[in-house]
Amino acid sequence: MNRHIISTRSSILDALRALNALSGQVMTLFVVDEGGVMCGTLTDGDIRRGFLAGALPSSPVTEVMHRQFRAVTAGEVDLEAVRRMRHEGIALIPRLDSQGRIAGIIDTRQTSTLLPLRALLMAGGKGERLRPLTLTTPKPLLKVGERPIIDYNVIALAEVGITDITVSVGYMAQTLISHFEKPIAGVKVKCIEEDRPLGTIGAASLLPYSPQAPHKATLVMNSDLLTSISFEDFYLKHQAEGADITIAAIPYNLSVPYAVLTTEGQRVTGLEEKPSYAYYANAGIYIIADRLLAALPHDRRTDATDLIERAIADGAHVAYFPISGTWIDIGSPADYRHACELMHHSDNFSSRH
């Protein structure tokens, strides 16, 4: 971060040297005063325009810096503002504290946003339908293309600023724990081990919960999914709805190959020839309020459907978010072959990962 910061006391020549040292990176400097308060930004273009207006190499950078800069606060980040700046092509976004000092810089080429979530990837299953492949390798570590399935999800989460990532392990736990001894996409992934099968969401009861935590919700997802879901859009939908739980959903169409009768008592009132019905199916990805997860029992199995049905019965706000891109649940040999084929022929993931 310091390589992008320059003092108001620096000359334009100093700024040119600093920009030259950034070769291959984003060529932008942030100008700060003696107290560290940000005053402006500086690029090659600003310096060229300054020279044309009569500035000299010995002139202070304050003569040529751009004073109408864009920034976000260092606390709870305005995600819509980050999105707008990213779409406008702003590569580096400073995060300023309450005094206007630079607390961090968002590099949108690497981290597109900073979602205030942590994540739990469920990886404790045996993957029995994928045997014999899973006799020696846990399903989340089966490779699709160049990477294990689970790594694609860790990378996608890191790209939206989620760096508090935990994986729940059970079957072949040590193999998964060993895999995550090295950081993935710069993230040190944590593992929690189930001493008994806890269902599709019960492992969330093993996470720590604190009112002082920077997040108020956790993204929970199955680790054996291959998906191009926009986690940013997913979270913004959750936030806009004021939801307690938001379920990622996939469109599912059911076609009946026969004429369907509509009846009233014993009387046929009509026929519908080969109708199709559209539904939304659970995609195995959720954003859930921490207060609901904190109430999960530690000593027995709980499936995600149990938690959701109980939340609905208690009057909680449960929303859904349709996935418009790729979603593959790698549960069978056919699914696995399809995922490998997709990765081989599509740049849908290679461009992102």
Side-chain angles (χ1 to χ4, degrees):
M1 181 177 78
N2 290 339
R3 298 183 69 190
H4 288 277
I5 296 176
I6 193 168
S7 168
T8 52
R9 294 172 295 181
S10 300
S11 68
I12 294 176
L13 184 58
D14 293 330
L16 285 171
R17 292 193 183 102
L19 287 169
N20 188 61
L22 292 173
S23 180
Q25 303 180 47
V26 180
M27 305 285 280
T28 300
L29 296 174
F30 299 117
V31 185
V32 300
D33 66 16
E34 293 182 5
V37 175
M38 184 170 169
C39 304
T41 59
L42 191 62
T43 66
D44 274 324
D46 295 320
I47 293 174
R48 285 196 302 273
R49 287 185 288 273
F51 283 155
L52 289 173
L56 300 173
S58 58
S59 300
V61 293
T62 51
E63 286 191 15
V64 296
M65 72 182 185
H66 183 67
R67 297 177 183 273
Q68 302 301 315
F69 58 85
R70 309 278 292 279
V72 294
T73 59
E76 190 167 338
V77 174
D78 184 340
L79 301 178
E80 290 287 4
V82 171
R83 170 179 272 193
R84 286 193 300 272
M85 285 184 256
R86 188 178 73 236
H87 288 172
E88 290 169 14
I90 299 175
L92 297 182
I93 303 172
R95 300 177 64 199
L96 306 183
D97 65 17
S98 59
Q99 305 301 314
R101 296 178 297 237
I102 298 176
I105 297 172
I106 303 171
D107 185 342
T108 60
R109 301 171 308 161
Q110 300 174 5
T111 304
S112 60
T113 189
L114 292 176
L115 301 185
L117 296 168
R118 64 175 170 181
L120 174 64
L121 302 181
M122 311 298 289
K126 295 182 178 180
E128 292 178 339
R129 288 185 295 160
L130 278 168
R131 289 182 176 175
L133 294 174
T134 52
L135 289 175
T136 55
T137 304
K139 182 167 64 169
L141 293 187
L142 292 176
K143 283 194 172 182
V144 175
E146 298 180 355
R147 295 189 177 94
I149 299 165
I150 195 171
D151 285 7
Y152 287 99
N153 294 316
V154 172
I155 292 167
L157 292 169
E159 286 179 349
V160 292
I162 301 176
T163 56
D164 185 348
I165 301 175
T166 301
V167 174
S168 70
V169 299
Y171 175 68
M172 298 187 70
Q174 192 54 53
T175 302
L176 280 156
I177 291 170
S178 297
H179 175 73
F180 288 114
E181 286 178 352
K182 293 182 179 178
I184 307 294
V187 176
K188 183 65 178 77
V189 177
K190 301 183 289 289
C191 292
I192 52 173
E193 187 170 357
E194 302 177 29
D195 57 5
R196 66 176 70 85
L198 293 174
T200 58
I201 200 121
S205 67
L206 306 178
L207 292 174
Y209 295 92
S210 168
Q212 287 76 44
H215 51 77
K216 299 181 178 64
T218 298
L219 189 149
V220 182
M221 67 181 292
N222 298 337
S223 65
D224 53 0
L225 301 176
L226 193 66
T227 178
S228 60
I229 184 175
S230 168
F231 289 116
E232 181 181 40
D233 289 342
F234 187 27
Y235 174 77
L236 289 174
K237 174 66 178 295
H238 177 80
Q239 185 183 49
E241 288 282 339
D244 298 299
I245 300 174
T246 302
I247 306 167
I250 53 167
Y252 185 81
N253 296 315
L254 178 65
S255 298
V256 180
Y258 311 107
V260 173
L261 281 64
T262 56
T263 61
E264 186 176 311
Q266 296 300 310
R267 182 168 171 245
V268 175
T269 58
L271 288 172
E272 186 175 2
E273 186 68 30
K274 298 180 180 179
S276 293
Y277 302 96
Y279 300 96
Y280 279 111
N282 182 359
I285 310 172
Y286 319 91
I287 297 176
I288 305 174
D290 280 355
R291 61 179 180 78
L292 297 178
L293 295 177
L296 288 171
H298 300 271
D299 57 350
R300 63 178 184 272
R301 178 187 180 97
T302 306
D303 288 329
T305 50
D306 300 328
L307 172 63
I308 293 166
E309 288 173 352
R310 186 163 59 246
I312 293 170
D314 290 342
H317 183 173
V318 178
Y320 72 96
F321 172 78
I323 297 175
S324 60
T326 299
W327 180 89
I328 303 174
D329 177 8
I330 304 176
S332 68
D335 295 328
Y336 182 54
R337 287 193 298 271
H338 175 51
C340 292
E341 190 75 10
L342 177 71
M343 190 63 64
H344 180 69
H345 292 289
S346 173
D347 61 0
N348 200 27
F349 289 87
S350 59
S351 61
R352 190 174 89 174
H353 302 309

